[in-house]
Amino acid sequence: MALRKNIIFALLSLFFMPTVAQVKQIKNPYGYLYCHMSRKGEWTAFALSRDGINWHDLNNGNEVYDTQRFSEIEGGARDAYINRAADGKGFVMVTTDMCNRKSRQWLNYGINLLRSNDLIHWSAVTFDFRKGPEIFCDKTSPDFYKDYRSIQRVWAPQVVWDKNHVWEDGKRGGYFIYYSLLNKNEDKYDRVFYSYADRSFTRITKPKLLFDWGYATIDADIVWVEADRKWHMMIKKEGGKRGIFTTQASHLTGPWPAPDENDYVSFEGNKQCEGASAFRIAGEKGWRVGYVEYSSSPTKYRICQADEKLQNFHSPQDIKGVADPQHGSFLALTKKEYERLENYWNNKKN
């Protein structure tokens, strides 16, 4: 009887375990893409690597699409985050629409959603959150804010496909886009919110609060960790003990508990860090984590290592081969994708 109960319990546990909501990634990558904001300008740049450690810039580190055209609010793009599209073939990217060089202030008002079939030719939609409910596709949903016009920051969006999301019409699957928001009249500090985008990557839902720990939080990075079958978030805490911390949840929408104050990227000492981005290199059991160390001048982009559960951070090194690295993300590529990018930008030089 006891054995039978244990078997039933095990089967039920498997049934109710959270399912991986991400698009399947490349199993045997030919190489890797580092998609990032350039340190010399507020645009998106690309770098390639065969081994995920040694990199080289494409287009000499200059923009890989027309930033002025695709960042309709301020003409600048920061914090580029790239992922595979739901079909596993195309690509989606999100950026912060912001140009500090022009505005001279750390404020912005919206984000950009970009899509490409080949990593070369892009289309984009810009969402200016100050315009309020009219820009969102779920018109009848409740509004978190009374007045969107006083929004001052929409920072560091990232995106992951959630096959379990259900739309009002019953369709399944949506892009889970998460970002930090600050409304100067209704918020005390920056908090992480989320919206869903449809398969076209041109429509998004109204912002919903992801969590509130009682202090400012920015630069969230969420990945699925198979070792413990949970979603892991790395995030910059700007309250309490500052720095990059981790927390885990069974579902993308949470609940996300406040991090363990002792489990964080601690080896940089008193230097300030942000913009974490976790990725894996084929053949390695653990993880790599890129991040910005901005206490130095110029700022540094560092990559450290972690174990298979995205814990126990160690061995930080400056990124190799990228002239002007900054806040960005990483993507495994097939041989065809890698060589197409390499050849396109090499031919541009000629």
Side-chain angles (χ1 to χ4, degrees):
M1 180 64 74
L3 178 61
R4 182 181 177 186
K5 286 183 177 180
N6 288 337
I7 292 173
I8 293 173
F9 179 78
L11 290 172
L12 287 172
S13 297
L14 286 171
F15 182 79
F16 287 107
M17 283 183 81
T19 57
V20 180
Q22 284 181 297
V23 175
K24 285 186 178 180
Q25 302 299 304
I26 302 301
K27 289 185 178 180
N28 298 301
Y30 180 79
Y32 303 86
L33 170 67
Y34 170 42
C35 167
H36 65 99
M37 169 190 162
S38 170
R39 195 169 60 198
K40 66 182 178 182
E42 287 162 295
W43 62 71
T44 301
F46 283 172
L48 289 178
S49 172
R50 284 297 310 279
D51 58 11
I53 299 172
N54 300 286
W55 302 84
H56 62 274
D57 289 321
L58 295 180
N59 195 30
N60 296 316
N62 294 315
E63 63 181 3
V64 292
Y65 60 80
D66 188 341
T67 309
Q68 289 285 336
R69 177 185 172 195
F70 290 156
S71 300
E72 295 182 353
I73 305 171
E74 296 190 38
R78 301 176 66 94
D79 316 322
Y81 187 87
I82 195 166
N83 214 334
R84 290 191 175 269
D87 59 12
K89 300 176 182 177
F91 306 88
V92 292
M93 186 196 305
V94 284
T95 65
T96 305
D97 191 307
M98 180 177 172
C99 192
N100 172 263
R101 179 179 57 83
K102 294 178 182 177
S103 67
R104 300 298 179 187
Q105 57 184 0
W106 293 104
L107 306 176
N108 84 303
Y109 312 104
I111 59 176
N112 307 303
L113 274 59
L114 299 92
R115 180 151 189 167
S116 174
N117 291 324
D118 58 8
L119 294 170
I120 295 169
H121 304 93
W122 294 88
S123 59
V125 179
T126 296
F127 293 91
D128 186 337
F129 279 52
R130 295 172 298 179
K131 295 181 179 179
E134 70 178 71
I135 71 168
F136 303 112
C137 61
D138 54 338
K139 306 298 184 185
T140 60
S141 297
D143 289 291
F144 187 87
Y145 291 121
K146 296 177 182 177
D147 188 354
Y148 288 82
R149 291 174 296 179
S150 52
I151 284 178
Q152 285 190 321
R153 283 202 284 268
V154 194
W155 274 5
Q158 297 200 177
V159 58
V160 61
W161 175 251
D162 182 358
K163 67 181 181 183
N164 298 318
H165 178 67
V166 181
W167 295 85
E168 292 179 352
D169 61 4
K171 291 182 179 179
R172 299 187 68 89
Y175 292 100
F176 180 82
I177 301 175
Y178 52 102
Y179 46 86
S180 294
L181 269 180
L182 178 69
N183 184 320
K184 67 175 182 178
N185 292 337
E186 300 181 43
D187 292 329
K188 295 180 180 179
Y189 41 78
D190 305 75
R191 294 179 289 181
V192 177
F193 287 72
Y194 69 94
S195 297
Y196 274 97
D198 65 359
R199 286 180 179 269
S200 73
F201 213 55
T202 60
R203 301 165 67 242
I204 63 172
T205 59
K206 295 176 181 177
K208 291 184 178 180
L209 183 65
L210 190 58
F211 60 86
D212 183 351
W213 296 332
Y215 46 76
T217 48
I218 64 171
D219 293 354
D221 177 55
I222 301 175
V223 294
W224 174 259
V225 176
E226 187 63 32
D228 61 7
R229 294 191 61 80
K230 288 184 179 179
W231 293 99
H232 283 232
M233 178 192 295
M234 302 191 70
I235 191 163
K236 182 188 179 187
K237 285 167 69 293
E238 296 195 314
K241 185 186 290 184
R242 297 180 65 186
I244 298 175
F245 288 76
T246 66
T247 182
Q248 300 85 39
S250 295
H251 304 280
L252 278 169
T253 53
W256 289 97
D260 180 346
E261 289 281 302
N262 297 312
D263 180 19
Y264 70 112
V265 177
S266 59
F267 40 68
E268 295 290 359
N270 293 325
K271 295 178 180 178
Q272 298 298 312
C273 302
E274 63 185 12
S277 184
F279 67 104
R280 304 193 79 173
I281 295 176
E284 292 188 351
K285 189 176 181 181
W287 291 77
R288 302 274 175 152
V289 180
Y291 60 94
V292 182
E293 186 271 282
Y294 62 94
S295 295
S296 301
S297 183
T299 60
K300 295 181 178 181
Y301 194 84
R302 310 268 279 161
I303 298 179
C304 68
Q305 298 182 48
D307 63 22
E308 68 273 17
K309 292 186 177 180
L310 197 53
Q311 296 173 337
N312 301 313
F313 308 102
H314 62 91
S315 306
Q317 292 184 335
D318 292 348
I319 194 169
K320 298 176 182 178
V322 183
D324 296 286
Q326 239 282 358
H327 193 155
S329 55
F330 300 85
L331 186 71
L333 300 177
T334 65
K335 183 177 181 179
K336 181 179 180 180
E337 293 163 349
Y338 186 102
E339 292 184 340
R340 180 170 58 211
L341 269 175
E342 187 85 274
N343 293 335
Y344 177 82
W345 289 109
N346 283 343
N347 290 334
K348 278 282 188 177
K349 294 179 183 178
N350 302 326

